[in-house]
Structure formats: structure tokens, C-alpha cells
């Protein structure tokens, strides 16, 4: 499917992909200085791995299939460092050493030999402080794997090889101690500081790094984790990763007899209910602002770590509204997009929603396209890639090229939201001003989920209310010869949903894999169409083809309303759920 129309620039083409930043002279100086640091000779404490690898991925690596960041390279007889990396993301993944979890999951002699060979290869090629792996977040990620998989890596190596291993750990820890403040606030800095904490608590001679890392980690918890348990990026996957790191840090501190800072435990306590509120009925996270489809299994492992954490209700966690009844969940984005540095992976999807019935996704957003290349990354961030309203094919925010990527700018600034519940069910009403400047119109959306979870009613409104807004609308109407402002409301479907136009072209029937049926229909006369779409799922080599429902109309007046209903027409028998069928 081609998505050339899904651009974020108003009235222009897509922004160019920003060049990858290279190490500065100061960065290179710092990494050179690490070669003069004191040498680690062993462990004072050897933590066990807390990350879980994939046996299947480990076997693929052993057979020469390298699958990272949406690419697969097949080279049975080549070392991982000799690969011609297709992009920066691929390169970053291999330098982070998360693949070590997968080889350790295999755990046999050939897997150990492969891991040891690639470890020594990294030390030879990059161990002196040069190369793409020397950034604070990637270094922190790598240190955690090297330390927790030490027994797997060191068993059977020569004395000289083990000496090289500890020498490299010294250099990387010294680099982190100098450079962790350079990591971007949020997930990258949490990765850097957790790696530094692991080094200080585990390795001999690095005890002076412990307080620095622990205090900085506590300060980041207070600065980055909001009162609602959210992050400035508003990315649910980022929040999951941060919770994972904080749980690891908390457990490691307790294992060595240290009391974690109050701020660390408080952050975990705030995050847990927020993260749970961002889960659909099938356990997956809502795909907003760079959160990828396909992280359900990891999510389960993360929450298992904090099963005893305090849980309480959050009204609008991290700017999202969650409606839930029986086995139906609706999660909507009802806050302004992230700003400044937090907007590097933000999406122009304000007021978009997703719906899940039991374990089946029905309405989705296209997802994060980062692993499929810059064009898909850009397209996935556009408003038409989300289940919301877009005027004239234009996004509600723009992309602006910055030195380290494309940042979302000039988006909605005033976003209102109100959530309520009553005897008939629950609803959320929200609005945003992303189209106010160019069209004089505010987009409002109301979503109402019935108490039995069988009916979702929606109403989308484009409205000019003040004199200034009406004047802006009139001027735009004059420019387009009073033809009306075209807009579309999109409902992207999960690839497993089988959709067909029904009822003489006035409705769309949606059959799920478990033969449950939902029917979508607009309440008034609008142009109803079923067209192609894509589903951008993490871990796959290509986007998955799917479909989208599109309601199209022209705004001719100061207020235009479009109402629609999504109702469950046939339900999977409850007896099948009770005996454990896949529903």
C-alpha cells in the first residue's frame, strides 16, 4: 500500500530524514579517557539475568539469520560485526547486545561459542571507545547483558580473553560515569543509569559509582515520572521499558543489601496502575506515540515483576481515556501530543482510539513504522494512519527536521477531555484545536461504551464557535469557492478482521477470527467506503495488509456532526471461553 498522502507537512511534501548524528570531538575524547581508567578484575556480586530471550531467535542467529529492526540478513558464515547494516536502528540493536538473551536461551555449547566469539569481536573492533555502540543508552543496555550473562560468557574462555572482558567493562563503566547526563531524558537516560548502577554494584573497584548512579536514578524518577505515572513521551512502550529497568534496579539494590531510594519505589507504584490502564483486554498495549504492536508477552513479564505493587484507579492515565465493560476495552488519546525532545517519535493522532473485544483487536491505529524504514516511520506518525478525523488529508501536527530526527511540532495546544460513567455505561468527551489555525474548526469526539460492552456509540464534530473562528472558516470557504471543507473519519482494522460492505452499502460487517461479528454503521448519510490499510507490527519484515473504514463528508456550516455506531451482532458462546478455547 502506498501512503504518499499521509504526510505531516501542511501543504507540502514529507520532511527529509535527518542524518544520523556522529560522535563529537568531546565524545571521542571522553571515550579515549576511559582507556586510562582503573581495571576491574572480577565480580563482588554476580546478578542473574532478568531479561528473557527467545530460543527460536537464538537458533536463527546460530544458523546465520540476523533479524533486527525489521530487516533480515542471511549469512551463515559471517560474524555479526562484519554485517553491512541496512540502517542505524539495525546497527544500534546489535551493539546493545540484547541478542545475547537469545543465545543464552539456547544455552548449549555452540551458542556459548558463538556468543564468546562475537563478544571478543566487539572488543577487538570497538572496545577502545569508537564506533556506533558508544552512546550512553546503548552502553547501559550492553553493560547489563555483559554482567548478567557473565557465567555464560566466561566459562571456557582463556585467561587473556577474560582479562579483555573485564578491561572492556572498566572502560564502558567509566564512559557511562562521564557521559550518562548526555542521554536524552526519559528511557535513554534510564537505560544509561541502570547500566551504571549494575556496574557499580557488581564489579570490583567501581563502588564509587554506586551512589552517583542511585541518586541520579532517583532524581530522574522524580523529574520524568509524572504524578499520573506517565512519561513526557506519552509512549506506552517507553513506560513499560522504564518500569522494567526500575524493577531491575530495585531488585539488584535489595539483593546486595541496600535500601532503594524512596523515589524509586514511588515511581514504580505510580507507573503500575497507569500501565495497566493502557492495556487492552487481550493484554496488549495501546499503540500510540511510537508504541509498537506486538509487545504483549514482554508486558506480561513486566507486570509479573510488580504483582504486589499498590494499584489504584487513574482517571486519564498519561493523557489516555480507558473505557471498559465486560470484555470490551476502548483506549483513546485525549491529550496534547508530546513536545520538544519528547516529540521525536510522537504521532499526530489526537482523539484516535483503539477497541479490543476479549483477545481480539478490532479497531487499531496503524502503529509505529520505525523498523520498516524512514518513509513508513513518517507515514505511521500521520493523522490518516490513526483511527480519528483528518481534514483534507492533512495531519493535525507537522514534522520538523532537527539534528537528531524529525520532531512533531505545531500540533494541538488546547486539548480538553472529560470522562464520566453512569447506569448506561461510560463515556469520554474530548476536543482539540489542531485544525483551528488553518480552518477555524475544532474537532470534538464523544465515545460512549454501553454497560454490557456490546455497543460503542461515537460522534465527531467540526465546529467554529467564536467570531474569530467563524471568520477563519469563512475565509477558507472563500478560497475553495464554497465547496465545503473535506474531511474523513478513519477506522483502521486489525488484519485478522474480515470486513465487508453490508446492508446495501450502509454498513460494514466485521467478522473476527473467533466468528464474533461486529457491525459498523453511520447514523446519517455520509460517504462510506472500505479501503486498504496497513498494520505495522514489531518483529515482522514487512507491514501487514489490512483494511480501513472511511467516512467522508464536507463541512459546509459552522457545525458539522457525524454520528456512528459499532455494535456486537454475534458473540462467541461463553461456554467456549470457559473451556479455554482461543477467543
Amino acid at each position: 500500500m502506498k501512503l504518499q498522502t499521509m504526510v505531516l507537512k501542511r501543504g507540502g511534501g514529507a520532511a527529509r530524514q535527518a542524518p544520523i548524528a556522529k560522535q563529537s570531538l568531546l565524545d571521542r575524547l571522553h571515550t579515549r579517557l576511559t582507556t586510562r581508567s582503573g581495571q576491574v578484575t572480577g565480580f563482588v556480586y554476580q546478578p542473574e539475568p532478568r531479561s528473557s530471550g527467545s530460543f527460536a531467535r537464538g537458533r536463527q542467529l546460530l544458523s546465520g539469520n540476523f533479524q533486527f529492526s525489521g530487516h533480515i540478513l542471511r549469512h551463515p558464515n559471517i560474524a555479526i560485526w562484519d554485517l553491512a547494516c541496512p540502517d542505524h536502528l539495525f546497527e544500534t540493536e546489535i551493539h546493545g547486545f540484547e541478542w545475547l538473551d537469545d543465545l543464552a536461551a539456547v544455552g548449549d555449547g555452540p551458542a556459548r561459542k558463538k556468543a564468546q566469539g562475537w563478544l571478543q569481536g566487539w572488543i577487538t573492533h570497538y572496545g577502545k571507545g569508537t564506533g556506533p555502540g558508544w552512546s550512553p543508552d546503548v552502553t547501559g543496555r550492553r553493560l547489563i547483558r555483559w554482567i548478567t550473562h557473565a557465567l555464560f560468557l566466561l566459562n571456557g574462555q582463556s585467561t587473556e580473553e577474560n582479562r579483555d572482558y573485564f578491561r572492556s567493562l572498566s572502560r564502558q563503566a567509566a564512559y557511562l560515569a562521564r557521559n550518562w547526563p548526555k542521554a536524552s531524558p526519559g528511557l535513554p537516560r534510564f537505560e544509561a543509569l541502570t547500566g551504571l548502577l549494575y556496574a557499580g554494584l557488581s564489579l570490583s573497584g567501581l563502588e564509587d559509582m554506586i551512589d552517583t548512579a542511585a541518586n541520579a536514578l532517583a532524581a530522574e524518577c522524580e523529574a520524568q515520572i509524572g504524578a499520573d505515572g506517565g512519561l513526557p513521551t506519552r509512549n506506552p512502550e517507553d513506560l513499560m521499558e522504564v518500569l522494567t529497568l526500575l524493577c531491575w534496579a530495585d531488585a539488584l539494590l535489595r539483593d546486595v543489601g541496600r535500601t532503594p531510594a524512596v523515589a524509586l519505589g514511588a515511581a514504580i507504584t505510580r507507573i503500575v496502575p497507569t500501565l495497566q490502564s493502557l492495556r487492552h483486554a487481550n493484554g496488549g498495549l495501546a499503540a500510540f506515540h511510537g508504541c509498537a504492536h506486538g509487545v504483549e508477552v514482554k508486558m506480561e513479564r513486566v507486570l509479573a515483576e510488580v504483582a504486589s505493587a499498590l494499584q489504584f484507579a487513574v482517571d486519564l492515565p498519561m493523557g489516555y481515556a480507558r473505557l471498559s465493560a465486560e470484555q470490551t476495552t476502548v483506549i483513546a488519546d485525549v491529550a496534547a501530543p508530546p513536545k520538544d525532545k519528547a516529540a521525536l517519535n510522537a504521532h499526530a493522532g489526537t482523539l484516535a482510539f483503539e477497541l479490543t473485544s476479549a483477545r481480539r483487536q478490532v479497531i487499531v491505529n496503524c502503529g509505529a513504522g520505525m523498523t520498516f524504514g524512514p518513509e513508513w516511520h513518517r507515514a505511521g506518525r500521520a493523522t490518516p494512519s490513526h483511527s480519528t478525523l483528518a481534514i483534507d488529508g492533512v495531519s493535525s501536527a507537522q514534522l520538523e527536521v532537527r539534528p537528531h530526527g524529525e520532531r512533531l511540532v505545531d500540533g494541538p495546544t488546547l486539548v480538553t477531555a472529560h470522562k464520566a460513567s453512569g447506569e448506561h455505561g461510560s463515556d469520554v468527551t474530548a476536543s482539540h484545536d489542531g485544525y483551528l489555525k488553518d480552518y477555524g474548526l475544532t474537532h470534538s469526539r464523544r465515545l460512549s461504551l454501553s454497560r454490557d460492552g456490546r455497543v460503542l456509540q461515537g460522534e465527531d464534530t467540526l465546529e467554529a464557535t467564536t467570531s474569530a473562528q467563524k471568520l477563519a472558516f469563512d475565509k477558507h470557504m472563500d478560497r475553495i469557492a464554497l465547496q465545503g471543507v473535506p474531511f474523513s473519519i478513519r477506522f483502521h482494522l486489525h488484519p485478522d478482521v474480515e470486513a465487508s460492505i453490508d446492508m446495501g452499502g450502509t454498513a460494514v460487517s466485521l467478522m473476527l477470527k473467533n466468528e464474533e461479528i461486529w457491525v459498523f454503521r453511520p447514523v446519517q448519510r455520509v460517504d462510506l467506503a472500505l479501503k486498504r490499510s496497513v498494520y505495522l507490527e514489531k518483529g515482522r519484515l514487512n507491514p501487514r495488509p489490512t483494511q480501513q473504514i472511511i467516512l467522508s463528508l464536507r463541512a459546509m456550516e459552522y457545525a458539522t456532526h457525524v454520528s456512528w455506531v459499532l455494535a456486537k451482532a454475534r458473540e462467541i458462546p461463553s461456554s467456549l471461553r470457559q473451556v479455554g478455547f482461543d477467543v
Side-chain angles (χ1 to χ4, degrees), residues 502-563:
D502 205 349
M503 299 181 187
T506 62
V508 180
S509 292
L510 309 175
M511 178 177 285
L512 312 189
K513 280 287 187 180
N514 57 5
E515 298 188 355
E516 181 175 285
I517 293 177
W518 289 72
V519 175
F520 175 93
R521 61 179 180 85
V523 174
Q524 69 263 56
R525 187 178 179 84
V526 295
D527 184 12
L528 170 66
L530 190 60
K531 296 186 178 181
R532 291 183 299 169
S533 181
V534 293
Y535 184 76
L536 304 170
E537 186 173 4
K538 192 172 186 177
R540 288 185 176 264
L541 298 180
N542 297 294
R544 296 177 66 185
T546 185
Q547 294 178 289
Q548 58 178 313
I549 302 168
I550 303 179
L551 303 181
S552 301
L553 199 62
R554 288 180 179 267
M556 304 294 295
E557 308 291 341
Y558 293 138
T560 304
H561 307 275
V562 178
S563 298

Side-chain angles (χ1 to χ4, degrees), residues 113-173:
K113 185 176 180 180
K114 184 74 73 175
Q116 291 171 336
W118 290 351
L119 172 76
Q120 290 298 324
W122 189 91
I123 293 172
T124 300
H125 288 90
Y126 307 105
K128 293 185 179 180
T130 59
W134 287 90
S135 64
D137 54 334
V138 177
T139 302
R141 201 180 311 156
R142 183 172 57 246
L143 270 181
I144 292 172
R145 267 68 188 187
W146 281 32
I147 289 170
T148 57
H149 290 298
L151 294 177
F152 180 65
L153 292 169
L154 298 180
N155 188 19
Q157 286 203 136
S158 68
T159 301
E160 183 59 33
E161 287 171 332
N162 287 346
R163 188 178 296 118
D164 289 342
Y165 164 83
F166 284 114
R167 185 182 296 119
S168 184
L169 282 176
S170 300
R171 291 170 177 169
Q172 293 178 67

Side-chain angles (χ1 to χ4, degrees), residues 411-568:
T413 56
L414 178 61
V415 182
T416 64
H418 176 70
K419 183 181 174 184
S421 59
E423 61 180 34
H424 299 296
S426 56
D427 63 73
V428 60
T429 303
S431 66
H432 79 82
D433 62 352
Y435 293 113
L436 196 58
K437 179 180 177 182
D438 293 337
Y439 301 93
L441 294 170
T442 296
H443 174 210
S444 300
R445 165 168 275 182
R446 181 176 182 178
L447 301 172
S448 300
L449 183 65
S450 63
R451 181 171 288 277
D452 60 7
R454 297 179 64 90
V455 179
L456 176 69
Q457 293 179 299
E459 182 179 71
D460 287 282
T461 300
L462 285 175
E463 187 172 19
T465 55
T466 68
S467 298
Q469 292 169 8
K470 292 176 181 179
L471 179 61
F473 177 76
D474 289 339
K475 287 183 177 180
H476 184 77
M477 286 286 281
D478 290 339
R479 286 194 295 270
I480 60 176
L482 303 179
Q483 295 299 304
V485 178
F487 67 92
S488 297
I489 309 170
R490 299 170 187 269
F491 305 84
H492 295 273
L493 306 176
H494 188 271
D496 290 339
V497 176
E498 184 178 326
S500 59
I501 298 290
D502 205 349
M503 299 181 187
T506 62
V508 180
S509 292
L510 309 175
M511 178 177 285
L512 312 189
K513 280 287 187 180
N514 57 5
E515 298 188 355
E516 181 175 285
I517 293 177
W518 289 72
V519 175
F520 175 93
R521 61 179 180 85
V523 174
Q524 69 263 56
R525 187 178 179 84
V526 295
D527 184 12
L528 170 66
L530 190 60
K531 296 186 178 181
R532 291 183 299 169
S533 181
V534 293
Y535 184 76
L536 304 170
E537 186 173 4
K538 192 172 186 177
R540 288 185 176 264
L541 298 180
N542 297 294
R544 296 177 66 185
T546 185
Q547 294 178 289
Q548 58 178 313
I549 302 168
I550 303 179
L551 303 181
S552 301
L553 199 62
R554 288 180 179 267
M556 304 294 295
E557 308 291 341
Y558 293 138
T560 304
H561 307 275
V562 178
S563 298
W564 47 267
V565 177
L566 179 62
K568 187 184 297 186

Side-chain angles (χ1 to χ4, degrees), residues 54-68 73-80 99-100 102-118 152:
S54 164
F55 178 86
R57 283 176 57 88
R59 296 298 299 175
Q60 287 179 345
L61 287 170
L62 290 174
S63 65
N65 292 324
F66 301 92
Q67 184 174 345
F68 300 100
L73 304 181
R74 294 181 174 87
H75 296 285
N77 301 309
I78 195 172
I80 196 169
W99 49 262
L100 196 53
D102 302 323
L103 290 180
V106 177
D108 59 12
R112 184 191 306 274
K113 185 176 180 180
K114 184 74 73 175
Q116 291 171 336
W118 290 351
F152 180 65

Side-chain angles (χ1 to χ4, degrees), residues 24-38 128-129 134-137 139-140 143 169-183 189 192-193 195-197 199 206 208-209 212-213 216:
S24 67
L25 179 62
L26 187 59
D27 287 332
R28 291 196 294 272
L29 176 61
H30 280 168
T31 52
R32 295 296 186 193
L33 289 173
T34 64
T35 63
R36 304 176 186 176
S37 60
K128 293 185 179 180
W134 287 90
S135 64
D137 54 334
T139 302
L143 270 181
L169 282 176
S170 300
R171 291 170 177 169
Q172 293 178 67
Y175 167 83
L176 268 187
R178 295 175 184 270
N179 290 280
W180 69 261
K182 289 185 174 183
R189 190 170 293 177
L193 287 171
L196 185 61
L197 186 64
L206 302 185
D208 59 338
M209 296 181 179
T212 297

